Amino acid sequence: MSATPSRPSAADAPDTDRRRVLLAAPRGYCAGVDRAVIAVEQALEQYGSPVYVRHEIVHNKYVVKTLEKKGAIFVEETSEVPEGEIVIFSAHGVAPEVHKEAERGKLATIDATCPLVTKVHKEAVRYAKEDYDILLIGHEGHEEVIGTSGEAPEHVTLVDGPSDVENVEVRDPEKVVWLSQTTLSVDETMETVDALKGRYPNLLSPPSDDICYATQNRQTAIKQVAEEADFVLVVGSKNSSNSVRLVETAIAHGARDGRLVDSAEEIDEAWLDGVRTVGLSSGASVPDVLVDGVLEWLAERGWEDVEIVQPVEERMQFSLPKELRRDLRAEAKSRMSG
């Protein structure tokens, strides 16, 4: 299969009979996901198995199963972790109460929360101290929303999309600020913000855009892909908010249809009847091996010509959690005997 690093010019318009793939870039792992996955792998290497992980480290089935094979044990609640063991908090972040639970359980902890999520947590704490009502734009039940809300539960009101705005009640319309789940659709978030400003003209915005750079970049790329794609495939798990948003964004910006799949095995050939141009991207918690599998599947069926669509470049990197520089096994034993 051939890969072209940039889009063809208008003068080189593609043959309408040619089957091709428009491969979005950036795609796949963001810096926060890469950091979290490496944190689990390094913890297993340094401290040996078992290492416990509270909730899925990232929202991707393949990643979770791969880490399980290496010795990670995933649990729903911190209370399931035996006393004196190591527990890793996922990239989505946790509420302060979860840290307290770990301390009561005499656990050694590694916080793999994405630094961009941590930034939102700190903003919630700061605005709560200033006695603002905080309108948190996000999806009910999402782990990131639960974690952020837990920083200031008396001050946070969840706003689950533009249709939820009419249900919002605040104490003082002059002291209200919005924050957001980092993995939302940029367009949906701003639509919600605009609706909120219609009710609260003095609504304060956070000091910087809370929608993470990776979410923005992947949506920018899929919008450009969607302009020419007949059909869009997004690789990602169904509980991955940013992956779901990529499909919705593609359809909203010109793609005739789109589907979310965990891997090539889930593709139905009937979806591609009459399709000449396939758009392809992946969510921020998806390893390249899964996208490569889809490219191979498509190539075997005639979509061998791959053009890379890259409107923006990504160079962001985060350092690993500081806890990995300590002897956590010794610390956990010390807690048990203390």
Side-chain angles (χ1 to χ4, degrees):
M1 118 191 33
S2 62
T4 306
S6 59
R7 304 298 301 278
S9 67
D12 299 321
D15 180 352
T16 55
D17 291 330
R18 178 165 59 100
R19 289 186 172 185
R20 59 178 179 153
V21 178
L22 300 180
L23 180 61
R27 64 184 178 279
Y29 272 11
C30 64
V33 165
D34 194 42
R35 173 182 184 266
V37 173
I38 292 174
V40 178
E41 292 173 336
Q42 190 161 320
L44 287 165
E45 185 177 324
Q46 286 181 211
Y47 310 121
S49 181
V51 167
Y52 292 82
V53 184
R54 185 183 183 275
H55 293 172
E56 295 184 352
I57 187 68
V58 296
H59 286 159
N60 185 267
K61 292 178 182 178
Y62 176 90
V63 172
V64 169
K65 288 178 180 177
T66 300
L67 292 173
E68 282 178 333
K69 290 175 183 176
K70 293 181 178 181
I73 298 174
F74 291 86
V75 297
E76 284 302 305
E77 299 300 336
T78 312
S79 58
E80 298 173 51
V81 182
E83 220 177 65
E85 290 290 350
I86 295 172
V87 63
I88 301 177
F89 298 136
S90 79
H92 308 103
V94 297
E97 180 56 33
V98 176
H99 288 277
K100 293 176 184 176
E101 288 172 2
E103 190 173 338
R104 288 194 295 267
K106 300 180 179 179
L107 306 176
T109 61
I110 298 173
D111 191 353
T113 302
C114 173
L116 299 179
V117 174
T118 298
K119 178 181 76 71
V120 178
H121 281 218
K122 289 179 178 178
E123 288 173 358
V125 171
R126 178 167 69 87
Y127 285 116
K129 284 182 178 177
E130 296 175 8
D131 202 31
Y132 274 81
D133 279 340
I134 301 166
L135 305 182
L136 178 60
I137 301 170
H139 295 306
E140 187 171 4
H142 190 279
E143 290 163 42
E144 186 184 326
V145 165
I146 293 169
T148 303
S149 299
E151 294 285 359
E154 299 85 5
H155 289 264
V156 172
T157 298
L158 178 64
V159 186
D160 197 342
S163 61
D164 200 24
V165 169
E166 62 184 22
N167 301 319
V168 173
E169 298 291 341
V170 301
R171 294 169 300 158
D172 181 357
E174 301 302 312
K175 289 203 73 172
V176 59
V177 62
W178 70 270
L179 300 177
S180 90
Q181 178 183 328
T182 64
T183 55
L184 292 183
S185 157
V186 178
D187 297 333
E188 179 190 8
T189 299
M190 296 319 297
E191 186 181 349
T192 304
V193 171
D194 290 342
L196 286 169
K197 286 182 176 178
R199 289 195 63 188
Y200 307 110
N202 294 323
L203 177 71
L204 187 66
S205 295
S208 59
D209 192 351
D210 281 342
I211 299 170
C212 89
Y213 77 93
T215 299
Q216 290 178 320
N217 291 347
R218 281 149 190 73
Q219 290 177 12
T220 297
I222 203 65
K223 286 177 183 179
Q224 194 166 322
V225 165
E227 292 174 2
E228 294 187 37
D230 302 314
F231 182 86
V232 166
L233 282 168
V234 174
V235 184
S237 294
K238 291 179 176 59
N239 63 339
S240 167
S241 179
N242 75 88
S243 298
V244 172
R245 300 286 89 74
L246 283 174
V247 178
E248 295 172 351
T249 301
I251 294 173
H253 287 82
R256 199 167 64 206
D257 197 3
R259 297 295 174 97
L260 181 67
V261 296
D262 267 297
S263 66
E265 295 174 359
E266 294 186 359
I267 303 173
D268 184 341
E269 289 193 48
W271 297 343
L272 301 181
D273 286 349
V275 170
R276 289 293 173 186
T277 301
V278 176
L280 178 60
S281 186
S282 59
S285 52
V286 177
D288 281 342
V289 63
L290 298 179
V291 177
D292 291 342
V294 172
L295 286 171
E296 290 172 11
W297 187 97
L298 289 168
E300 289 169 359
R301 290 156 179 81
W303 284 271
E304 296 179 321
D305 191 355
V306 179
E307 299 172 14
I308 298 173
V309 180
Q310 185 166 6
V312 292
E313 290 190 19
E314 248 174 41
R315 292 190 176 89
M316 183 74 74
Q317 288 183 319
F318 296 133
S319 59
L320 290 174
K322 61 184 183 299
E323 297 91 341
L324 287 167
R325 298 193 289 270
R326 308 203 305 257
D327 186 348
L328 294 184
R329 292 284 183 206
E331 288 182 23
K333 289 179 180 177
S334 174
R335 285 196 180 95
M336 290 183 72
S337 60

